[in-house]
């Protein structure tokens, strides 16, 4: 299936994967060596009453929704936790785009209904299904630890950040890969009997 669309899509996804990888590396290196303050937002006090009341209509109560905490001279751990809130998604996106690019290149070279394409689709699906909650766990736990390092009363623990909808998409790709693999085997058996 060597069409202009599949060739273009393969090239664009590879370029995006490289760009995401470069942003990941650049952001990690520059952020670890800068001397800016590290800031984090927390929703720990979301139901706490505000110190100064807001002008609201009768019967409406206002509460704090977000607290922004900043550390002027952060420790190495705080700076790393701040990076842990941003970099895992960039790394995940870069690797997922790279796997998708390899899938599209296999489609261009061999066609869509081959064992290689089915296998690469399954690999991409498993990566997305497992990588989405894993990246979310790293981001959420980094955020939780960073908040706890600035406000110890909040505490730290495992949290998952972001949407887990990618798990369903990944599992759907795994299932489609298995269906395609069965289709390839059936076609090979049919060709062998003719």
């Amino acid at each position: 299936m060597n069409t202009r669309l599949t060739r273009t899509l393969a090239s664009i996804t590879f370029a995006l994967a490289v760009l995401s990888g470069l942003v990941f590396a650049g952001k990690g290196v520059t952020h670890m060596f800068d001397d800016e303050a590290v800031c984090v937002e927390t929703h720990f006090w979301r139901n706490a009453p505000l110190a100064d009341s807001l002008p609201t209509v009768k019967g409406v109560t206002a509460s704090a929704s977000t607290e922004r905490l900043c550390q002027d001279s952060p420790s190495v751990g705080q700076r790393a936790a701040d990076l842990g809130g941003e970099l895992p998604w960039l790394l995940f996106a870069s690797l997922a785009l790279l796997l998708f690019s390899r899938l599209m290149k296999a489609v261009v070279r061999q066609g869509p209904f081959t064992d290689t394409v089915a296998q690469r689709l399954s690999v991409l699906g498993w990566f997305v299904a497992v990588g989405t909650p894993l990246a979310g766990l790293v981001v959420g736990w980094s955020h939780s630890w960073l908040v706890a390092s600035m406000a110890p009363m909040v505490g730290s623990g495992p949290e998952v950040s972001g949407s887990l909808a990618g798990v369903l998409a990944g599992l759907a790709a795994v299932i489609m890969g298995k269906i395609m693999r069965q289709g390839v085997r059936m076609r090979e058996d049919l060709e062998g009997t003719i």
Side-chain angles (χ1 to χ4, degrees):
M1 191 165 162
N2 193 356
T3 65
R4 186 185 314 170
L5 177 65
T6 54
R7 287 192 310 269
T8 304
L9 195 56
S11 298
I12 288 173
T13 54
F14 181 74
L16 287 173
V18 170
L19 183 64
S20 295
L22 290 173
V23 169
F24 168 79
K27 191 167 188 76
V29 169
T30 57
H31 195 67
M32 280 305 284
F33 295 112
D34 69 1
D35 57 351
E36 292 181 6
V38 169
C39 295
V40 65
E41 291 183 357
T42 179
H43 297 281
F44 182 74
W45 293 279
R46 71 177 143 244
N47 294 324
L50 294 170
D52 298 325
S53 62
L54 297 174
T56 58
V57 180
K58 183 180 179 185
V60 174
T61 56
S63 62
S65 60
T66 302
E67 187 67 34
R68 185 171 167 87
L69 307 170
C70 291
Q71 177 75 41
D72 285 330
S73 12
S75 67
V76 174
Q78 287 173 323
R79 194 163 297 285
D82 187 37
L83 278 174
E86 300 171 17
L87 291 185
W89 289 120
L90 282 172
L91 180 62
F92 173 75
S94 178
L95 294 175
L97 285 168
L98 186 63
L99 289 173
F100 186 73
S101 172
R102 291 188 67 226
L103 170 69
M104 293 308 296
K105 285 180 184 175
V107 168
V108 167
R109 277 191 227 115
Q110 301 173 359
F113 302 108
T114 62
D115 196 43
T116 303
V117 171
Q119 188 175 18
R120 288 186 181 178
L121 183 61
S122 292
V123 168
L124 175 63
W126 279 118
F127 178 78
V128 171
V130 173
T132 299
L134 189 61
L137 181 65
V138 171
V139 169
W141 211 339
S142 294
H143 180 268
S144 171
W145 186 89
L146 186 58
V147 169
S149 73
M150 294 184 195
M153 67 178 284
V154 175
S156 173
E159 291 181 18
V160 177
S161 175
S163 172
L164 296 178
V167 174
L168 294 176
L171 292 176
V174 169
I175 292 168
M176 284 304 299
K178 291 195 181 293
I179 290 171
M180 286 176 66
R181 188 171 293 143
Q182 283 297 100
V184 168
R185 287 193 183 119
M186 288 172 60
R187 186 182 70 195
E188 288 172 351
D189 289 345
L190 187 62
E191 288 173 354
T193 59
I194 293 178

